[in-house]
PDB file of all heavy atoms in Angstrom:
ATOM      1  N   GLU S   1     -55.756 -16.688-103.027  1.00 89.00           N
ATOM      2  CA  GLU S   1     -54.803 -16.509-101.947  1.00 89.00           C
ATOM      3  C   GLU S   1     -53.576 -15.743-102.436  1.00 89.00           C
ATOM      4  O   GLU S   1     -53.051 -16.005-103.518  1.00 89.00           O
ATOM      5  CB  GLU S   1     -54.388 -17.882-101.401  1.00 89.00           C
ATOM      6  CG  GLU S   1     -53.584 -17.816-100.119  1.00 89.00           C
ATOM      7  CD  GLU S   1     -53.265 -19.202 -99.571  1.00 89.00           C
ATOM      8  OE1 GLU S   1     -53.667 -20.190-100.222  1.00 89.00           O
ATOM      9  OE2 GLU S   1     -52.610 -19.270 -98.520  1.00 89.00           O
ATOM     10  N   HIS S   2     -53.150 -14.779-101.626  1.00 92.00           N
ATOM     11  CA  HIS S   2     -51.974 -13.941-101.922  1.00 92.00           C
ATOM     12  C   HIS S   2     -52.123 -13.183-103.247  1.00 92.00           C
ATOM     13  O   HIS S   2     -51.120 -12.860-103.900  1.00 92.00           O
ATOM     14  CB  HIS S   2     -50.703 -14.791-101.961  1.00 92.00           C
ATOM     15  CG  HIS S   2     -50.463 -15.598-100.731  1.00 92.00           C
ATOM     16  ND1 HIS S   2     -50.367 -15.032 -99.470  1.00 92.00           N
ATOM     17  CD2 HIS S   2     -50.308 -16.953-100.556  1.00 92.00           C
ATOM     18  CE1 HIS S   2     -50.151 -15.981 -98.572  1.00 92.00           C
ATOM     19  NE2 HIS S   2     -50.116 -17.160 -99.204  1.00 92.00           N
ATOM     20  N   ILE S   3     -53.352 -12.867-103.629  1.00 94.00           N
ATOM     21  CA  ILE S   3     -53.569 -12.177-104.897  1.00 94.00           C
ATOM     22  C   ILE S   3     -52.971 -10.774-104.886  1.00 94.00           C
ATOM     23  O   ILE S   3     -52.459 -10.297-105.907  1.00 94.00           O
ATOM     24  CB  ILE S   3     -55.087 -12.117-105.221  1.00 94.00           C
ATOM     25  CG1 ILE S   3     -55.323 -11.399-106.542  1.00 94.00           C
ATOM     26  CG2 ILE S   3     -55.852 -11.463-104.090  1.00 94.00           C
ATOM     27  CD1 ILE S   3     -54.693 -12.042-107.731  1.00 94.00           C
ATOM     28  N   VAL S   4     -53.000 -10.112-103.732  1.00 95.00           N
ATOM     29  CA  VAL S   4     -52.468  -8.741-103.668  1.00 95.00           C
ATOM     30  C   VAL S   4     -50.960  -8.745-103.906  1.00 95.00           C
ATOM     31  O   VAL S   4     -50.440  -7.970-104.712  1.00 95.00           O
ATOM     32  CB  VAL S   4     -52.816  -8.092-102.314  1.00 95.00           C
ATOM     33  CG1 VAL S   4     -52.233  -6.681-102.248  1.00 95.00           C
ATOM     34  CG2 VAL S   4     -54.321  -8.056-102.104  1.00 95.00           C
ATOM     35  N   LEU S   5     -50.257  -9.629-103.189  1.00 95.00           N
ATOM     36  CA  LEU S   5     -48.815  -9.716-103.365  1.00 95.00           C
ATOM     37  C   LEU S   5     -48.459 -10.122-104.792  1.00 95.00           C
ATOM     38  O   LEU S   5     -47.508  -9.586-105.382  1.00 95.00           O
ATOM     39  CB  LEU S   5     -48.240 -10.738-102.381  1.00 95.00           C
ATOM     40  CG  LEU S   5     -46.730 -10.969-102.437  1.00 95.00           C
ATOM     41  CD1 LEU S   5     -45.975  -9.674-102.127  1.00 95.00           C
ATOM     42  CD2 LEU S   5     -46.321 -12.081-101.478  1.00 95.00           C
ATOM     43  N   TRP S   6     -49.227 -11.040-105.365  1.00 96.00           N
ATOM     44  CA  TRP S   6     -48.989 -11.502-106.730  1.00 96.00           C
ATOM     45  C   TRP S   6     -49.078 -10.338-107.725  1.00 96.00           C
ATOM     46  O   TRP S   6     -48.205 -10.152-108.567  1.00 96.00           O
ATOM     47  CB  TRP S   6     -50.013 -12.584-107.071  1.00 96.00           C
ATOM     48  CG  TRP S   6     -49.788 -13.294-108.368  1.00 96.00           C
ATOM     49  CD1 TRP S   6     -50.270 -12.929-109.595  1.00 96.00           C
ATOM     50  CD2 TRP S   6     -49.031 -14.481-108.584  1.00 96.00           C
ATOM     51  NE1 TRP S   6     -49.880 -13.816-110.558  1.00 96.00           N
ATOM     52  CE2 TRP S   6     -49.103 -14.783-109.963  1.00 96.00           C
ATOM     53  CE3 TRP S   6     -48.300 -15.324-107.747  1.00 96.00           C
ATOM     54  CZ2 TRP S   6     -48.476 -15.908-110.510  1.00 96.00           C
ATOM     55  CZ3 TRP S   6     -47.670 -16.434-108.295  1.00 96.00           C
ATOM     56  CH2 TRP S   6     -47.765 -16.708-109.660  1.00 96.00           C
ATOM     57  N   ASN S   7     -50.135  -9.540-107.584  1.00 95.00           N
ATOM     58  CA  ASN S   7     -50.326  -8.415-108.496  1.00 95.00           C
ATOM     59  C   ASN S   7     -49.284  -7.327-108.288  1.00 95.00           C
ATOM     60  O   ASN S   7     -48.765  -6.748-109.258  1.00 95.00           O
ATOM     61  CB  ASN S   7     -51.734  -7.831-108.322  1.00 95.00           C
ATOM     62  CG  ASN S   7     -52.753  -8.530-109.186  1.00 95.00           C
ATOM     63  OD1 ASN S   7     -52.599  -9.713-109.511  1.00 95.00           O
ATOM     64  ND2 ASN S   7     -53.816  -7.834-109.550  1.00 95.00           N
ATOM     65  N   VAL S   8     -48.972  -7.035-107.032  1.00 96.00           N
ATOM     66  CA  VAL S   8     -48.011  -5.973-106.745  1.00 96.00           C
ATOM     67  C   VAL S   8     -46.642  -6.307-107.330  1.00 96.00           C
ATOM     68  O   VAL S   8     -45.996  -5.462-107.973  1.00 96.00           O
ATOM     69  CB  VAL S   8     -47.914  -5.724-105.226  1.00 96.00           C
ATOM     70  CG1 VAL S   8     -46.713  -4.843-104.898  1.00 96.00           C
ATOM     71  CG2 VAL S   8     -49.184  -5.072-104.710  1.00 96.00           C
ATOM     72  N   VAL S   9     -46.197  -7.532-107.137  1.00 96.00           N
ATOM     73  CA  VAL S   9     -44.870  -7.925-107.632  1.00 96.00           C
ATOM     74  C   VAL S   9     -44.820  -7.887-109.162  1.00 96.00           C
ATOM     75  O   VAL S   9     -43.902  -7.301-109.757  1.00 96.00           O
ATOM     76  CB  VAL S   9     -44.501  -9.331-107.108  1.00 96.00           C
ATOM     77  CG1 VAL S   9     -43.240  -9.840-107.807  1.00 96.00           C
ATOM     78  CG2 VAL S   9     -44.288  -9.308-105.602  1.00 96.00           C
ATOM     79  N   LEU S  10     -45.806  -8.486-109.815  1.00 97.00           N
ATOM     80  CA  LEU S  10     -45.767  -8.584-111.273  1.00 97.00           C
ATOM     81  C   LEU S  10     -45.995  -7.225-111.948  1.00 97.00           C
ATOM     82  O   LEU S  10     -45.324  -6.899-112.938  1.00 97.00           O
ATOM     83  CB  LEU S  10     -46.803  -9.593-111.754  1.00 97.00           C
ATOM     84  CG  LEU S  10     -46.481 -11.058-111.398  1.00 97.00           C
ATOM     85  CD1 LEU S  10     -47.599 -11.979-111.853  1.00 97.00           C
ATOM     86  CD2 LEU S  10     -45.161 -11.490-112.025  1.00 97.00           C
ATOM     87  N   PHE S  11     -46.928  -6.438-111.427  1.00 97.00           N
ATOM     88  CA  PHE S  11     -47.127  -5.107-112.000  1.00 97.00           C
ATOM     89  C   PHE S  11     -45.907  -4.220-111.775  1.00 97.00           C
ATOM     90  O   PHE S  11     -45.575  -3.383-112.624  1.00 97.00           O
ATOM     91  CB  PHE S  11     -48.374  -4.448-111.415  1.00 97.00           C
ATOM     92  CG  PHE S  11     -49.650  -4.800-112.120  1.00 97.00           C
ATOM     93  CD1 PHE S  11     -50.641  -5.531-111.475  1.00 97.00           C
ATOM     94  CD2 PHE S  11     -49.875  -4.409-113.426  1.00 97.00           C
ATOM     95  CE1 PHE S  11     -51.820  -5.862-112.133  1.00 97.00           C
ATOM     96  CE2 PHE S  11     -51.037  -4.733-114.088  1.00 97.00           C
ATOM     97  CZ  PHE S  11     -52.017  -5.459-113.436  1.00 97.00           C
ATOM     98  N   SER S  12     -45.225  -4.406-110.634  1.00 97.00           N
ATOM     99  CA  SER S  12     -44.009  -3.630-110.382  1.00 97.00           C
ATOM    100  C   SER S  12     -42.900  -4.036-111.349  1.00 97.00           C
ATOM    101  O   SER S  12     -42.149  -3.182-111.844  1.00 97.00           O
ATOM    102  CB  SER S  12     -43.537  -3.838-108.938  1.00 97.00           C
ATOM    103  OG  SER S  12     -44.506  -3.375-108.016  1.00 97.00           O
ATOM    104  N   ILE S  13     -42.789  -5.337-111.621  1.00 98.00           N
ATOM    105  CA  ILE S  13     -41.792  -5.803-112.585  1.00 98.00           C
ATOM    106  C   ILE S  13     -42.071  -5.209-113.964  1.00 98.00           C
ATOM    107  O   ILE S  13     -41.159  -4.725-114.651  1.00 98.00           O
ATOM    108  CB  ILE S  13     -41.779  -7.344-112.644  1.00 98.00           C
ATOM    109  CG1 ILE S  13     -41.225  -7.916-111.334  1.00 98.00           C
ATOM    110  CG2 ILE S  13     -40.963  -7.841-113.832  1.00 98.00           C
ATOM    111  CD1 ILE S  13     -41.293  -9.427-111.254  1.00 98.00           C
ATOM    112  N   LEU S  14     -43.325  -5.241-114.377  1.00 98.00           N
ATOM    113  CA  LEU S  14     -43.674  -4.683-115.685  1.00 98.00           C
ATOM    114  C   LEU S  14     -43.446  -3.179-115.730  1.00 98.00           C
ATOM    115  O   LEU S  14     -43.040  -2.636-116.774  1.00 98.00           O
ATOM    116  CB  LEU S  14     -45.134  -5.009-116.012  1.00 98.00           C
ATOM    117  CG  LEU S  14     -45.412  -6.468-116.385  1.00 98.00           C
ATOM    118  CD1 LEU S  14     -46.908  -6.747-116.417  1.00 98.00           C
ATOM    119  CD2 LEU S  14     -44.779  -6.802-117.727  1.00 98.00           C
ATOM    120  N   LEU S  15     -43.691  -2.508-114.614  1.00 97.00           N
ATOM    121  CA  LEU S  15     -43.441  -1.065-114.555  1.00 97.00           C
ATOM    122  C   LEU S  15     -41.951  -0.774-114.738  1.00 97.00           C
ATOM    123  O   LEU S  15     -41.570   0.124-115.513  1.00 97.00           O
ATOM    124  CB  LEU S  15     -43.933  -0.513-113.219  1.00 97.00           C
ATOM    125  CG  LEU S  15     -43.667   0.975-112.945  1.00 97.00           C
ATOM    126  CD1 LEU S  15     -44.378   1.846-113.972  1.00 97.00           C
ATOM    127  CD2 LEU S  15     -44.112   1.342-111.528  1.00 97.00           C
ATOM    128  N   GLY S  16     -41.112  -1.528-114.043  1.00 97.00           N
ATOM    129  CA  GLY S  16     -39.670  -1.328-114.184  1.00 97.00           C
ATOM    130  C   GLY S  16     -39.168  -1.658-115.581  1.00 97.00           C
ATOM    131  O   GLY S  16     -38.347  -0.931-116.150  1.00 97.00           O
ATOM    132  N   ILE S  17     -39.672  -2.763-116.154  1.00 98.00           N
ATOM    133  CA  ILE S  17     -39.262  -3.139-117.509  1.00 98.00           C
ATOM    134  C   ILE S  17     -39.657  -2.057-118.506  1.00 98.00           C
ATOM    135  O   ILE S  17     -38.877  -1.677-119.386  1.00 98.00           O
ATOM    136  CB  ILE S  17     -39.893  -4.493-117.895  1.00 98.00           C
ATOM    137  CG1 ILE S  17     -39.245  -5.626-117.101  1.00 98.00           C
ATOM    138  CG2 ILE S  17     -39.754  -4.747-119.396  1.00 98.00           C
ATOM    139  CD1 ILE S  17     -39.884  -6.980-117.335  1.00 98.00           C
ATOM    140  N   GLY S  18     -40.877  -1.551-118.378  1.00 97.00           N
ATOM    141  CA  GLY S  18     -41.342  -0.514-119.289  1.00 97.00           C
ATOM    142  C   GLY S  18     -40.504   0.748-119.208  1.00 97.00           C
ATOM    143  O   GLY S  18     -40.198   1.372-120.235  1.00 97.00           O
ATOM    144  N   MET S  19     -40.100   1.130-118.012  1.00 98.00           N
ATOM    145  CA  MET S  19     -39.289   2.341-117.849  1.00 98.00           C
ATOM    146  C   MET S  19     -37.912   2.176-118.492  1.00 98.00           C
ATOM    147  O   MET S  19     -37.424   3.085-119.182  1.00 98.00           O
ATOM    148  CB  MET S  19     -39.158   2.675-116.362  1.00 98.00           C
ATOM    149  CG  MET S  19     -40.464   3.094-115.698  1.00 98.00           C
ATOM    150  SD  MET S  19     -40.295   3.385-113.923  1.00 98.00           S
ATOM    151  CE  MET S  19     -39.212   4.807-113.924  1.00 98.00           C
ATOM    152  N   VAL S  20     -37.285   1.019-118.284  1.00 98.00           N
ATOM    153  CA  VAL S  20     -35.964   0.784-118.882  1.00 98.00           C
ATOM    154  C   VAL S  20     -36.068   0.738-120.404  1.00 98.00           C
ATOM    155  O   VAL S  20     -35.247   1.322-121.125  1.00 98.00           O
ATOM    156  CB  VAL S  20     -35.349  -0.513-118.330  1.00 98.00           C
ATOM    157  CG1 VAL S  20     -34.030  -0.821-119.029  1.00 98.00           C
ATOM    158  CG2 VAL S  20     -35.123  -0.407-116.824  1.00 98.00           C
ATOM    159  N   GLU S  21     -37.088   0.033-120.911  1.00 97.00           N
ATOM    160  CA  GLU S  21     -37.278  -0.030-122.357  1.00 97.00           C
ATOM    161  C   GLU S  21     -37.525   1.340-122.958  1.00 97.00           C
ATOM    162  O   GLU S  21     -37.009   1.650-124.045  1.00 97.00           O
ATOM    163  CB  GLU S  21     -38.441  -0.959-122.687  1.00 97.00           C
ATOM    164  CG  GLU S  21     -38.155  -2.436-122.472  1.00 97.00           C
ATOM    165  CD  GLU S  21     -39.332  -3.307-122.811  1.00 97.00           C
ATOM    166  OE1 GLU S  21     -40.475  -2.769-122.873  1.00 97.00           O
ATOM    167  OE2 GLU S  21     -39.162  -4.516-122.990  1.00 97.00           O
ATOM    168  N   ALA S  22     -38.309   2.143-122.285  1.00 97.00           N
ATOM    169  CA  ALA S  22     -38.601   3.485-122.795  1.00 97.00           C
ATOM    170  C   ALA S  22     -37.324   4.316-122.898  1.00 97.00           C
ATOM    171  O   ALA S  22     -37.114   5.030-123.891  1.00 97.00           O
ATOM    172  CB  ALA S  22     -39.616   4.184-121.896  1.00 97.00           C
ATOM    173  N   MET S  23     -36.449   4.230-121.903  1.00 97.00           N
ATOM    174  CA  MET S  23     -35.204   4.996-121.940  1.00 97.00           C
ATOM    175  C   MET S  23     -34.286   4.499-123.058  1.00 97.00           C
ATOM    176  O   MET S  23     -33.665   5.300-123.763  1.00 97.00           O
ATOM    177  CB  MET S  23     -34.498   4.910-120.584  1.00 97.00           C
ATOM    178  CG  MET S  23     -35.204   5.671-119.473  1.00 97.00           C
ATOM    179  SD  MET S  23     -34.259   5.721-117.927  1.00 97.00           S
ATOM    180  CE  MET S  23     -34.319   3.996-117.447  1.00 97.00           C
ATOM    181  N   LEU S  24     -34.197   3.179-123.219  1.00 96.00           N
ATOM    182  CA  LEU S  24     -33.333   2.630-124.266  1.00 96.00           C
ATOM    183  C   LEU S  24     -33.835   2.998-125.658  1.00 96.00           C
ATOM    184  O   LEU S  24     -33.054   3.417-126.528  1.00 96.00           O
ATOM    185  CB  LEU S  24     -33.239   1.111-124.123  1.00 96.00           C
ATOM    186  CG  LEU S  24     -32.466   0.585-122.908  1.00 96.00           C
ATOM    187  CD1 LEU S  24     -32.572  -0.930-122.826  1.00 96.00           C
ATOM    188  CD2 LEU S  24     -31.011   1.009-122.972  1.00 96.00           C
ATOM    189  N   CYS S  25     -35.144   2.829-125.868  1.00 96.00           N
ATOM    190  CA  CYS S  25     -35.698   3.156-127.189  1.00 96.00           C
ATOM    191  C   CYS S  25     -35.611   4.645-127.471  1.00 96.00           C
ATOM    192  O   CYS S  25     -35.330   5.057-128.601  1.00 96.00           O
ATOM    193  CB  CYS S  25     -37.148   2.674-127.281  1.00 96.00           C
ATOM    194  SG  CYS S  25     -37.336   0.873-127.332  1.00 96.00           S
ATOM    195  N   LEU S  26     -35.849   5.467-126.441  1.00 95.00           N
ATOM    196  CA  LEU S  26     -35.759   6.909-126.631  1.00 95.00           C
ATOM    197  C   LEU S  26     -34.332   7.327-126.965  1.00 95.00           C
ATOM    198  O   LEU S  26     -34.112   8.235-127.781  1.00 95.00           O
ATOM    199  CB  LEU S  26     -36.250   7.632-125.381  1.00 95.00           C
ATOM    200  CG  LEU S  26     -36.355   9.162-125.475  1.00 95.00           C
ATOM    201  CD1 LEU S  26     -37.318   9.561-126.588  1.00 95.00           C
ATOM    202  CD2 LEU S  26     -36.814   9.742-124.146  1.00 95.00           C
ATOM    203  N   SER S  27     -33.358   6.675-126.356  1.00 93.00           N
ATOM    204  CA  SER S  27     -31.960   6.990-126.683  1.00 93.00           C
ATOM    205  C   SER S  27     -31.647   6.642-128.135  1.00 93.00           C
ATOM    206  O   SER S  27     -30.890   7.353-128.803  1.00 93.00           O
ATOM    207  CB  SER S  27     -31.018   6.229-125.745  1.00 93.00           C
ATOM    208  OG  SER S  27     -31.057   4.830-125.990  1.00 93.00           O
ATOM    209  N   GLN S  28     -32.254   5.558-128.645  1.00 92.00           N
ATOM    210  CA  GLN S  28     -32.065   5.203-130.045  1.00 92.00           C
ATOM    211  C   GLN S  28     -32.733   6.218-130.971  1.00 92.00           C
ATOM    212  O   GLN S  28     -32.227   6.511-132.059  1.00 92.00           O
ATOM    213  CB  GLN S  28     -32.623   3.806-130.307  1.00 92.00           C
ATOM    214  CG  GLN S  28     -31.845   2.689-129.640  1.00 92.00           C
ATOM    215  CD  GLN S  28     -30.416   2.613-130.113  1.00 92.00           C
ATOM    216  OE1 GLN S  28     -30.139   2.576-131.307  1.00 92.00           O
ATOM    217  NE2 GLN S  28     -29.478   2.596-129.171  1.00 92.00           N
ATOM    218  N   VAL S  29     -33.881   6.752-130.542  1.00 93.00           N
ATOM    219  CA  VAL S  29     -34.552   7.781-131.336  1.00 93.00           C
ATOM    220  C   VAL S  29     -33.672   9.026-131.441  1.00 93.00           C
ATOM    221  O   VAL S  29     -33.467   9.584-132.531  1.00 93.00           O
ATOM    222  CB  VAL S  29     -35.918   8.135-130.721  1.00 93.00           C
ATOM    223  CG1 VAL S  29     -36.538   9.335-131.439  1.00 93.00           C
ATOM    224  CG2 VAL S  29     -36.866   6.939-130.797  1.00 93.00           C
ATOM    225  N   ILE S  30     -33.147   9.476-130.306  1.00 92.00           N
ATOM    226  CA  ILE S  30     -32.299  10.673-130.293  1.00 92.00           C
ATOM    227  C   ILE S  30     -31.040  10.452-131.115  1.00 92.00           C
ATOM    228  O   ILE S  30     -30.622  11.308-131.906  1.00 92.00           O
ATOM    229  CB  ILE S  30     -31.958  11.056-128.842  1.00 92.00           C
ATOM    230  CG1 ILE S  30     -33.233  11.423-128.073  1.00 92.00           C
ATOM    231  CG2 ILE S  30     -30.957  12.208-128.808  1.00 92.00           C
ATOM    232  CD1 ILE S  30     -33.002  11.676-126.607  1.00 92.00           C
ATOM    233  N   SER S  31     -30.416   9.279-130.950  1.00 88.00           N
ATOM    234  CA  SER S  31     -29.208   8.977-131.714  1.00 88.00           C
ATOM    235  C   SER S  31     -29.491   8.945-133.213  1.00 88.00           C
ATOM    236  O   SER S  31     -28.713   9.477-134.016  1.00 88.00           O
ATOM    237  CB  SER S  31     -28.640   7.628-131.259  1.00 88.00           C
ATOM    238  OG  SER S  31     -27.548   7.230-132.062  1.00 88.00           O
ATOM    239  N   GLY S  32     -30.612   8.337-133.589  1.00 87.00           N
ATOM    240  CA  GLY S  32     -30.956   8.263-135.005  1.00 87.00           C
ATOM    241  C   GLY S  32     -31.255   9.621-135.600  1.00 87.00           C
ATOM    242  O   GLY S  32     -30.855   9.915-136.737  1.00 87.00           O
ATOM    243  N   LEU S  33     -31.947  10.476-134.851  1.00 89.00           N
ATOM    244  CA  LEU S  33     -32.240  11.820-135.347  1.00 89.00           C
ATOM    245  C   LEU S  33     -30.959  12.639-135.509  1.00 89.00           C
ATOM    246  O   LEU S  33     -30.839  13.433-136.451  1.00 89.00           O
ATOM    247  CB  LEU S  33     -33.211  12.524-134.394  1.00 89.00           C
ATOM    248  CG  LEU S  33     -34.641  11.972-134.365  1.00 89.00           C
ATOM    249  CD1 LEU S  33     -35.477  12.711-133.325  1.00 89.00           C
ATOM    250  CD2 LEU S  33     -35.299  12.053-135.735  1.00 89.00           C
ATOM    251  N   CYS S  34     -30.014  12.450-134.599  1.00 87.00           N
ATOM    252  CA  CYS S  34     -28.731  13.147-134.741  1.00 87.00           C
ATOM    253  C   CYS S  34     -27.999  12.667-135.982  1.00 87.00           C
ATOM    254  O   CYS S  34     -27.373  13.464-136.699  1.00 87.00           O
ATOM    255  CB  CYS S  34     -27.875  12.922-133.497  1.00 87.00           C
ATOM    256  SG  CYS S  34     -28.473  13.763-132.014  1.00 87.00           S
ATOM    257  N   ASP S  35     -28.058  11.358-136.257  1.00 80.00           N
ATOM    258  CA  ASP S  35     -27.414  10.830-137.462  1.00 80.00           C
ATOM    259  C   ASP S  35     -28.046  11.416-138.722  1.00 80.00           C
ATOM    260  O   ASP S  35     -27.355  11.740-139.688  1.00 80.00           O
ATOM    261  CB  ASP S  35     -27.522   9.300-137.490  1.00 80.00           C
ATOM    262  CG  ASP S  35     -26.626   8.644-136.452  1.00 80.00           C
ATOM    263  OD1 ASP S  35     -25.685   9.313-135.998  1.00 80.00           O
ATOM    264  OD2 ASP S  35     -26.876   7.477-136.097  1.00 80.00           O
ATOM    265  N   ILE S  36     -29.374  11.532-138.703  1.00 82.00           N
ATOM    266  CA  ILE S  36     -30.064  12.073-139.881  1.00 82.00           C
ATOM    267  C   ILE S  36     -29.746  13.547-140.064  1.00 82.00           C
ATOM    268  O   ILE S  36     -29.476  14.014-141.174  1.00 82.00           O
ATOM    269  CB  ILE S  36     -31.584  11.860-139.744  1.00 82.00           C
ATOM    270  CG1 ILE S  36     -31.925  10.364-139.787  1.00 82.00           C
ATOM    271  CG2 ILE S  36     -32.347  12.591-140.844  1.00 82.00           C
ATOM    272  CD1 ILE S  36     -33.383  10.067-139.518  1.00 82.00           C
ATOM    273  N   TYR S  37     -29.723  14.307-138.974  1.00 79.00           N
ATOM    274  CA  TYR S  37     -29.498  15.743-139.055  1.00 79.00           C
ATOM    275  C   TYR S  37     -28.069  16.064-139.441  1.00 79.00           C
ATOM    276  O   TYR S  37     -27.807  16.918-140.302  1.00 79.00           O
ATOM    277  CB  TYR S  37     -29.835  16.400-137.722  1.00 79.00           C
ATOM    278  CG  TYR S  37     -29.616  17.888-137.703  1.00 79.00           C
ATOM    279  CD1 TYR S  37     -30.458  18.741-138.434  1.00 79.00           C
ATOM    280  CD2 TYR S  37     -28.573  18.443-136.972  1.00 79.00           C
ATOM    281  CE1 TYR S  37     -30.252  20.100-138.425  1.00 79.00           C
ATOM    282  CE2 TYR S  37     -28.368  19.804-136.959  1.00 79.00           C
ATOM    283  CZ  TYR S  37     -29.216  20.636-137.682  1.00 79.00           C
ATOM    284  OH  TYR S  37     -29.004  21.978-137.668  1.00 79.00           O
TER     285      TYR S  37
END
């Protein structure tokens, strides 16, 4: 019961978390490369 709503909400949360994490980690990569250079 309500399997569609369950999947949509949780997969959407994971999608949003992944996008924010990717931006934060990528910013650390760029910052670190600038420090090295």
